[in-house]
Amino acid sequence: MHESTLRLVTKDGGLVSTIPPASSELKEGAGEPPQNPPSGDSSERKLAAKGHNEGVKLFASGVNTLAAAVLTTAIVVPLIKDPMMFVIEYHPIWYIVGIGLHIAGQVALRFGLRSEE
């Protein structure tokens, strides 16, 4: 047995299996990392831009969903609690927060996306 051969043994010392060294099993070129595509710099930039853009879209979607939840809560909860109090105790701060979150999502999409070309 070669010194770099891996030996698998049981607790009582019985030999279960041996694995030869990797260099004796690999054919030439096998196991090497794939080579970069010919236009590596351009394709890496495109891939990075796509990844960044997906993150921006995910952020904008999350903020927009939060805006919808805030606006819905600002309208529905007071109406269920007491419809007359909704008219008397009008709290515009939650509408401003909801609309502000929606605008933040739109700004992220407008100015956060990168060109994929």
Side-chain angles (χ1 to χ4, degrees), residues 85-113:
M85 291 304 288
F86 178 72
V87 175
I88 297 170
E89 292 183 17
Y90 178 70
H91 296 288
I93 187 68
W94 292 113
Y95 300 108
I96 294 169
V97 169
I99 291 169
L101 286 169
H102 177 70
I103 291 171
Q106 295 299 313
V107 167
L109 285 176
R110 179 82 53 208
F111 299 110
L113 295 179

Side-chain angles (χ1 to χ4, degrees), residues 6-57:
L6 180 63
R7 296 176 59 195
L8 300 174
V9 293
T10 61
K11 284 185 177 181
D12 62 354
L15 183 63
V16 175
S17 177
T18 60
I19 300 173
S23 61
S24 68
E25 282 191 6
L26 288 179
K27 295 177 184 161
E28 190 170 325
E32 295 177 9
Q35 298 298 319
N36 290 337
S39 61
D41 193 26
S42 175
S43 69
E44 287 176 13
R45 188 184 58 76
K46 286 180 183 180
L47 185 61
K50 284 183 180 188
H52 174 79
N53 289 347
E54 288 302 316
V56 170
K57 288 187 229 175

Side-chain angles (χ1 to χ4, degrees), residues 61-77:
S61 175
V63 170
N64 202 31
T65 303
L66 183 61
V70 167
L71 287 172
T72 302
T73 304
I75 295 170
V76 172
V77 169

